[in-house]
Amino acid sequence: MYHIERIIKELGTDFNDGTHIIYVNGQYRGNDPIGDLMHDFSCKKSADMKNKIFAEKVRYLKEDEQGVAQMYKIMEDFAREERAEARAERNIEVAEEMLKEGSLPLEKIAQFTDLPLETVRQIAQKLAAVQR
């Protein structure tokens, strides 16, 4: 197990952002709670898990009809959000290219990219600042 603390190198002081990062070797199988957890993470069947509370939740989400439906909905929502984010990123890239072309008013770019006009204005300002 590795505890990571973030520091400001130039000052030699803690970053103090409230994060606490712990890396655990997934191959670890010691006779302690972390070893048991790493064991449980690698189990294919909930019945093989040591932590009964964790095993019951895994069984519910993977084997129970209602749990599987809940997990399916979670994954479906996640995929929908990912697609929306990818689409928004692509629309921003398209707006940047259109702005570089310089032949369309901001309102048209917003309309064609389905971005808010204010977002297109911000992109235009950033591009203008970079070109200076």
Side-chain angles (χ1 to χ4, degrees):
M1 186 175 343
Y2 306 95
H3 293 77
I4 310 300
E5 298 294 330
R6 296 169 58 167
I7 64 162
I8 302 170
K9 286 184 180 181
E10 291 77 8
L11 303 175
T13 60
D14 289 336
F15 188 61
N16 289 326
D17 65 347
T19 60
H20 301 282
I21 303 168
I22 301 173
Y23 288 98
V24 178
N25 181 338
Q27 300 299 313
Y28 179 71
R29 296 293 185 272
N31 262 347
D32 58 15
I34 297 295
D36 290 349
L37 185 62
M38 293 303 99
H39 167 270
D40 287 357
F41 280 163
S42 68
C43 288
K44 300 226 185 280
K45 299 178 189 173
S46 61
D48 297 335
M49 294 179 160
K50 295 180 180 186
N51 183 310
K52 296 306 171 199
I53 295 170
F54 187 39
E56 179 52 32
K57 194 64 168 176
V58 168
R59 187 204 62 72
Y60 172 73
L61 292 171
K62 288 186 167 189
E63 300 166 19
D64 183 272
E65 189 175 323
Q66 285 181 314
V68 170
Q70 182 181 352
M71 183 59 85
Y72 180 79
K73 182 177 178 345
I74 290 167
M75 294 304 293
E76 193 175 67
D77 291 347
F78 177 74
R80 189 178 309 109
E81 288 173 19
E82 286 292 310
R83 286 190 302 271
E85 286 178 23
R87 195 168 38 256
E89 287 176 22
R90 180 65 187 134
N91 288 350
I92 289 170
E93 291 170 4
V94 169
E96 287 174 351
E97 292 302 315
M98 294 171 89
L99 286 163
K100 288 176 186 175
E101 197 63 36
S103 60
L104 286 174
L106 300 183
E107 293 78 7
K108 282 290 183 193
I109 294 173
Q111 179 185 353
F112 292 149
T113 59
D114 202 27
L115 291 170
L117 180 57
E118 185 56 35
T119 301
V120 175
R121 282 193 180 115
Q122 291 172 354
I123 296 168
Q125 289 171 350
K126 287 179 186 174
L127 287 173
V130 169
Q131 292 174 351
R132 290 181 197 156

